[in-house]
Amino acid sequence: MFLSILAAPFAIAAPAHADFRVCNGSQNLVGVAIGYRNTDGWVSEGWWQVPASTCATLIEGELKSRYYYLYAEDAARGGRWAGNVNMCVAENEFKIVGVQDCFKRGYQQMGFKEYDTGRQGSWMVQLSDTPGTQEGQK
């Protein structure tokens, strides 16, 4: 009984987190990239390696934009979670400012899926085991 009383204040005092998170509901490792607009213009960043049945925080803290863009690849099967908003990516870890002339600048171009967060402070995307299907939620 002493342990349950001692643990209760810690559970109640846990702060709510405002982040952009991606959860991998697939059976394989997934590489994830995110895109967004900030004061420098369009930015794309990657790669977060998200193991099967885990989540990763891509942006920590209160979200500042309404729209975010996501691209992901299944490392084992080569499947993709993509959309129709073109942004630049690199083979290794990257943070790229601008979405124009990806190939001329030595990058690849991929289609990112747009998520309208409705200006929510936090957002989570759940990647399913079937590439091409994904859910976004607050």
Side-chain angles (χ1 to χ4, degrees):
M1 174 134 182
F2 176 73
L3 289 176
S4 63
I5 293 170
L6 183 63
F10 295 111
I12 294 168
H17 292 285
D19 299 316
F20 191 104
R21 295 173 47 82
V22 172
C23 293
N24 179 4
S26 79
Q27 300 301 309
N28 299 311
L29 176 69
V30 173
V32 179
I34 191 167
Y36 53 90
R37 189 168 179 85
N38 70 12
T39 55
D40 296 328
W42 291 104
V43 177
S44 55
E45 292 187 66
W47 294 102
W48 282 266
Q49 301 301 311
V50 187
S53 302
T54 65
C55 298
T57 299
L58 278 55
I59 297 176
E60 293 183 6
E62 194 79 14
L63 300 181
K64 300 195 183 344
S65 295
R66 177 175 175 175
Y67 297 98
Y68 289 87
Y69 304 84
L70 198 71
Y71 173 80
E73 291 183 352
D74 182 315
R77 295 189 310 212
R80 295 180 178 165
W81 292 267
N84 58 5
V85 178
N86 290 328
M87 296 187 147
C88 303
V89 299
E91 192 169 320
N92 297 311
E93 185 177 330
F94 66 91
K95 182 173 184 178
I96 303 168
V97 176
V99 295
Q100 303 299 326
D101 301 319
C102 296
F103 300 114
K104 285 183 185 177
R105 296 191 293 151
Y107 303 121
Q108 298 170 340
Q109 180 177 290
M110 295 296 175
F112 284 57
K113 179 173 172 54
E114 179 180 85
Y115 289 91
D116 180 351
T117 67
R119 297 215 178 270
Q120 296 292 320
S122 62
W123 196 260
M124 186 197 60
V125 174
Q126 174 73 43
L127 301 176
S128 75
D129 207 12
T130 307
T133 61
Q134 55 218 348
E135 295 298 324
Q137 55 191 320
K138 5 181 205 182

